[in-house]
Amino acid sequence: MSQQEWEALTQSEEAFMVNAYEIDILPGVRGDLAAADQPRPVGELADILLALVDRGWIEVHRVAPWHGPSGQVGIHPGALVSRDRLPSVLGDPANWEYPADGDWTGALTLVQTEAGKKITHR
């Protein structure tokens, strides 16, 4: 993967890649998108993300609770959302909003694949 591939990304594609690098939940990407893309319907934003998924650079997971060996508690990427389910899951506007109760469990989170890491770690 090359510098050229990174430079070829649109600002919004780059925002998805950076948020996947950060293992951020999906709503976190909205403020990082190109200004022209921020008000777009979620179906159109999903198309941008799906293109990156189809390149093999990003996976979408559900946030799951995590319990460390010494008793610490947190969250981490849990179950992978299968590619065939992504269009309907990403088409739900609720998945693009921060949870009202502040509990991220079950929220969608973006995760870089090994191929995606080659793009951001150039």
Side-chain angles (χ1 to χ4, degrees):
M1 302 300 156
S2 69
Q3 180 71 22
Q4 280 182 313
E5 286 175 298
W6 179 259
E7 291 172 355
L9 295 175
T10 67
Q11 182 181 343
S12 292
E13 288 171 328
E14 186 177 324
F16 280 108
M17 291 297 292
V18 168
N19 278 263
Y21 169 79
E22 295 172 346
I23 312 175
D24 199 357
I25 65 170
L26 182 60
V29 77
R30 198 132 209 181
D32 298 330
L33 296 170
D37 289 337
Q38 289 179 7
R40 291 174 71 184
V42 296
E44 292 178 21
L45 298 177
D47 289 341
I48 298 169
L49 176 55
L50 287 171
L52 297 168
V53 169
D54 290 342
R55 288 181 192 168
W57 295 348
I58 294 178
E59 293 178 336
V60 181
H61 292 252
R62 293 277 183 188
V63 173
W66 174 81
H67 301 281
S70 61
Q72 62 269 51
V73 178
I75 57 174
H76 74 128
L80 174 69
V81 179
S82 65
R83 174 59 179 90
D84 62 319
R85 293 211 40 212
L86 280 177
S88 90
V89 170
L90 294 174
D92 180 354
N95 285 319
W96 294 80
E97 300 294 330
Y98 283 100
D101 63 3
D103 181 6
W104 291 11
T105 303
L108 297 177
T109 189
L110 306 178
V111 179
Q112 281 187 337
T113 64
E114 289 304 313
K117 289 176 185 176
K118 292 177 183 176
I119 300 296
T120 56
H121 294 83
R122 59 202 182 285

